[in-house]
């Protein structure tokens, strides 16, 4: 269906607090449409963004949410066909669509679309490219699955011919079972990494690779693909694109980081382009994966012809993303860091980066398995390996979500046993309040607390900051 909306039309979002949904809701409101939405998991930072925009959020997925009748409904990918609001929608003739299709038709259209995809690093790299394009005075639009600290929101209406978007491989909606990025019309694509993830919709790694092959096939022959030279899974699917390919890496690739050094504020390194030193980059980020994210941004800018000096300054001025290694407080000189890490590779990389950044501090790593994949046993052993690099681990009870068969469920209790067998300093507490009290009694000035979760985690962030402030 071709989507047409009159000025001021009423658009309703089912599942509005998802990062991408909240961003599109803001885009549409800024364009003059009336926007409402519903959700049952309302927590910052997206709920705060929607509140600032004056967008009304209805609690729960009820049929009454469709009254008064909207002109268009955008359905999030967390919504199942069996939910009451979805059933009520299907029983009417109200036009509906998915977020990605709406993005492609309403916002991206014929602009130069830069799609950032991959299992890890999408949000940070999308934020960095968006900031760089902004500093190049390209007046880009963007939509990001998080809130960059350089901007006050996760989206921007394009004023020019460029649009930067985070390309998620998760499926689009219950009525549109293809990866989201299929609708994003890539002219330039950045592919950071490919690993097995989203076990609720992909049966194995080959299925994940097939999804990314679809993205590569969409890039036109005169387009650009910037990709990680050190990812073997990416190498195995590279034959599916006819676009120009440029690679980056820490040890090999067209763009390589050399002489990496951790600083008080982040990292710095030299960039060699095809064996020749070309630039020195300073970034307010830590960790090998963030070095690669910065390399990807630099390579993209250079290949698109953006001025190098402005590019280097823009990368240096990038402040990061909320919930990605974000310092949320330092009560009593105890640094509390929030991070979105949930895949085992990201969990391990985040712990290693933070411990390296604070070499003389004791780092307490608190991990909540909450995503659809992490709640399945597929990564049970991988989480033990990932968390075993931590100096100290604190675990909550197993988060219960959905109807996962018992034999397929992730077990925090098994993880606890495995970590103890590896000699890791680990405890499991029976509640968020128990975790807060445990850390509150153990942490000392100069220590670091790293909290990793892709959800609200029972309000642990504010609770812990308040408890540590009382020490």
């Amino acid at each position: 269906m071709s989507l047409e909306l009159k000025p001021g039309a009423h658009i309703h979002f089912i599942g509005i607090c998802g990062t991408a949904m909240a961003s599109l809701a803001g885009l549409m409101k800024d364009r003059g449409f009336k926007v409402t939405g519903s959700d049952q998991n309302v927590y910052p930072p997206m709920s705060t963004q929607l509140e600032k925009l004056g967008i009304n959020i209805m609690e729960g997925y009820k049929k009454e949410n469709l009254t008064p009748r909207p002109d268009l409904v955008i359905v999030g990918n967390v919504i199942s066909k069996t939910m009451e609001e979805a059933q009520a929608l299907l029983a009417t003739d109200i036009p509906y669509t998915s977020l990605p299709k709406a993005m492609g038709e309403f916002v991206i259209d014929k602009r130069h679309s830069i799609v950032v995809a991959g299992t890890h690093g999408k949000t940070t790299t999308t934020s960095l490219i968006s900031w760089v394009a902004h500093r190049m005075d390209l007046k880009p639009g963007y939509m990001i699955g998080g809130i960059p600290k350089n901007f006050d929101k996760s989206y921007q209406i394009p004023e020019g011919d460029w649009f930067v978007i985070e390309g998620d491989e998760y499926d689009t909606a219950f009525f549109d079972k293809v990866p989201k990025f299929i609708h994003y019309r890539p002219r330039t694509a950045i592919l950071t990494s490919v690993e097995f993830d989203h076990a609720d919709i992909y049966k194995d790694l080959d299925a994940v690779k097939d999804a990314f092959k679809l993205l590569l096939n969409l890039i036109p022959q005169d387009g650009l693909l910037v990709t990680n030279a050190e990812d073997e899974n990416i190498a195995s699917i590279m034959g599916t694109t006819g676009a120009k390919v440029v690679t980056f890496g820490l040890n090999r690739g067209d763009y390589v980081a050399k002489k990496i050094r951790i600083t008080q504020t982040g990292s710095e390194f030299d960039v060699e382009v095809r064996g020749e030193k070309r630039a020195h980059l300073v970034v307010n980020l830590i960790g090998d994966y963030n070095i690669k994210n910065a390399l990807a941004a630099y390579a993209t800018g250079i290949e698109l012809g953006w001025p190098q000096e402005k590019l280097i300054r823009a990368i240096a001025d990038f402040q990061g993303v909320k919930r990605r290694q974000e310092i949320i407080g330092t009560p009593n000189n105890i640094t509390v860091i929030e991070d979105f890490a949930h895949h085992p590779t990201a969990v391990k990389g985040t712990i290693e980066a933070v411990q390296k950044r604070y070499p003389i501090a004791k780092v307490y790593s608190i991990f909540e398995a909450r995503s659809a994949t992490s709640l399945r046993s597929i990564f049970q052993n991988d989480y033990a390996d990932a968390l075993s690099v931590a100096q100290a681990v604190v675990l909550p009870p197993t988060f219960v979500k959905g109807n996962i068969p018992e034999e397929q469920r992730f077990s925090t209790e098994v993880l606890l046993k495995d970590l103890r067998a590896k000699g890791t300093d680990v405890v499991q507490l029976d509640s968020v309040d128990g975790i807060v009290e445990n850390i509150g009694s153990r942490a000392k000035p100069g220590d670091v607390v790293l909290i990793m979760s892709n959800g609200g985690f029972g309000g642990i962030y504010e609770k812990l900051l308040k408890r540590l402030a009382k020490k």
Side-chain angles (χ1 to χ4, degrees):
M1 134 179 120
S2 180
L3 305 173
E4 293 184 10
L5 287 175
K6 295 178 180 178
H10 176 192
I11 306 174
H12 180 68
F13 289 73
I14 306 179
I16 194 169
C17 287
T19 50
M21 288 284 278
S23 299
L24 180 58
L27 276 167
M28 301 311 278
K29 187 165 195 319
D30 283 358
R31 289 182 58 183
F33 295 105
K34 176 185 176 182
V35 174
T36 59
S38 60
D39 212 300
Q40 62 186 14
N41 294 307
V42 180
Y43 55 82
M46 289 305 168
S47 61
T48 306
Q49 176 172 285
L50 291 167
E51 185 180 330
K52 286 180 180 177
L53 292 168
I55 295 175
N56 179 38
I57 306 174
M58 305 166 194
E59 291 272 0
Y61 300 122
K62 306 168 190 170
K63 61 183 180 182
E64 290 82 9
N65 296 340
L66 299 176
T67 304
R69 175 190 169 100
D71 299 298
L72 175 69
V73 174
I74 296 179
V75 183
N77 67 349
V78 299
I79 306 304
S80 71
K81 188 177 181 179
T82 58
M83 291 178 175
E84 180 182 314
E85 191 170 357
Q87 285 287 300
L89 173 65
L90 294 173
T92 72
D93 61 351
I94 299 172
Y96 63 90
T97 190
S98 65
L99 173 143
K101 187 170 183 181
M103 280 299 310
E105 293 205 18
F106 287 134
V107 185
I108 298 173
D109 197 18
K110 295 176 182 175
R111 293 181 170 86
H112 186 131
S113 176
I114 301 177
V115 179
V116 182
T119 308
H120 311 296
K122 291 188 295 293
T123 301
T124 298
T125 308
T126 309
S127 301
L128 183 47
I129 294 285
S130 300
W131 171 245
V132 168
H134 168 76
R135 288 288 297 271
M136 295 293 142
D137 301 317
L138 298 175
K139 299 181 179 178
Y142 55 82
M143 193 175 80
I144 305 164
I147 299 180
K149 294 179 182 178
N150 292 77
F151 301 117
D152 60 1
K153 53 191 178 183
S154 60
Y155 67 89
Q156 179 62 49
I157 294 174
E159 294 180 36
D161 295 328
W162 296 79
F163 199 88
V164 187
I165 188 164
E166 182 170 333
D168 193 354
E169 71 271 25
Y170 206 81
D171 61 2
T172 297
F174 69 79
F175 50 85
D176 189 10
K177 306 299 280 185
V178 298
K180 290 180 182 177
F181 51 53
I182 292 299
H183 297 289
Y184 292 161
R185 310 179 183 197
R187 183 168 183 78
T188 294
I190 300 169
L191 185 53
T192 63
S193 53
V194 172
E195 284 195 74
F196 180 63
D197 199 2
H198 307 305
D200 50 329
I201 62 170
Y202 292 111
K203 66 178 182 178
D204 53 28
L205 177 59
D206 284 339
V208 174
K209 288 182 180 180
D210 287 343
F212 285 107
K213 286 178 185 177
L214 296 174
L215 173 67
L216 300 192
N217 280 327
L218 289 173
I219 308 169
Q221 291 215 339
D222 61 347
L224 172 67
L225 172 62
V226 179
T227 189
N228 183 352
E230 297 167 337
D231 189 305
E232 298 305 321
N233 291 326
I234 292 178
S236 70
I237 64 173
M238 287 305 294
T240 57
T241 182
K244 178 181 180 181
V245 178
V246 172
T247 61
F248 60 87
L250 301 184
N251 297 297
R252 68 177 188 268
D254 298 313
Y255 291 73
V256 178
K258 296 286 187 178
K259 299 180 181 177
I260 299 171
R261 188 170 71 87
I262 296 176
T263 66
Q264 287 190 334
T265 57
S267 311
E268 60 181 71
F269 55 94
D270 293 339
V271 180
E272 286 188 1
V273 182
R274 300 174 184 92
E276 180 181 327
K277 181 181 175 181
R278 199 66 68 82
H280 182 77
L281 294 187
V282 176
V283 293
N284 294 302
L285 303 167
I286 57 173
D288 287 351
Y289 53 95
N290 275 323
I291 300 298
K292 288 185 178 183
N293 294 339
L295 266 178
Y298 175 81
T300 301
I302 293 296
E303 296 297 327
L304 291 174
W306 298 349
Q308 172 164 277
E309 288 307 312
K310 288 181 72 174
L311 179 59
I312 292 171
R313 287 197 300 271
I315 291 172
D317 291 340
F318 180 65
Q319 297 300 311
V321 185
K322 289 182 181 296
R323 302 202 75 191
R324 270 69 175 180
Q325 291 183 13
E326 181 183 14
I327 297 175
I328 58 174
T330 54
N332 278 309
N333 197 31
I334 298 169
T335 302
V336 181
I337 299 173
E338 180 181 7
D339 198 89
F340 201 70
H342 50 282
H343 187 284
T345 300
V347 169
K348 183 178 182 181
T350 301
I351 293 171
E352 289 178 332
V354 171
Q355 290 180 167
K356 197 171 182 180
R357 172 70 181 82
Y358 298 92
I360 63 172
K362 180 164 185 177
V363 179
Y364 295 88
S365 295
I366 306 173
F367 170 67
E368 181 191 41
R370 192 183 184 105
S371 71
T373 303
S374 66
L375 292 175
R376 289 169 164 79
S377 58
I378 185 74
F379 286 140
Q380 185 77 56
N381 295 332
D382 297 275
Y383 281 118
D385 290 338
L387 288 160
S388 68
V389 304
Q391 295 169 354
V393 177
V394 180
L395 301 173
T398 302
F399 183 78
V400 179
K401 178 182 178 182
N403 298 312
I404 302 171
E406 189 170 351
E407 67 275 10
Q408 296 177 23
R409 289 179 199 164
F410 167 82
S411 169
T412 307
E413 290 72 24
V414 171
L415 176 61
L416 180 69
K417 286 182 187 177
D418 290 344
L419 287 172
R420 283 179 174 164
K422 291 175 181 288
T424 306
D425 175 1
V426 57
V427 295
Q428 181 186 12
L429 285 306
D430 60 4
S431 66
V432 165
D433 289 342
I435 293 173
V436 168
E437 188 53 41
N438 178 273
I439 294 293
S441 63
R442 294 167 70 191
K444 297 179 175 60
D447 288 348
V448 176
V449 182
L450 168 63
I451 306 171
M452 293 170 287
S453 171
N454 69 325
F457 205 160
I460 192 173
Y461 312 102
E462 287 301 320
K463 290 179 179 181
L464 184 59
L465 290 173
K466 287 179 182 177
R467 173 64 180 84
L468 293 176
K470 292 179 181 177
K471 286 182 73 70

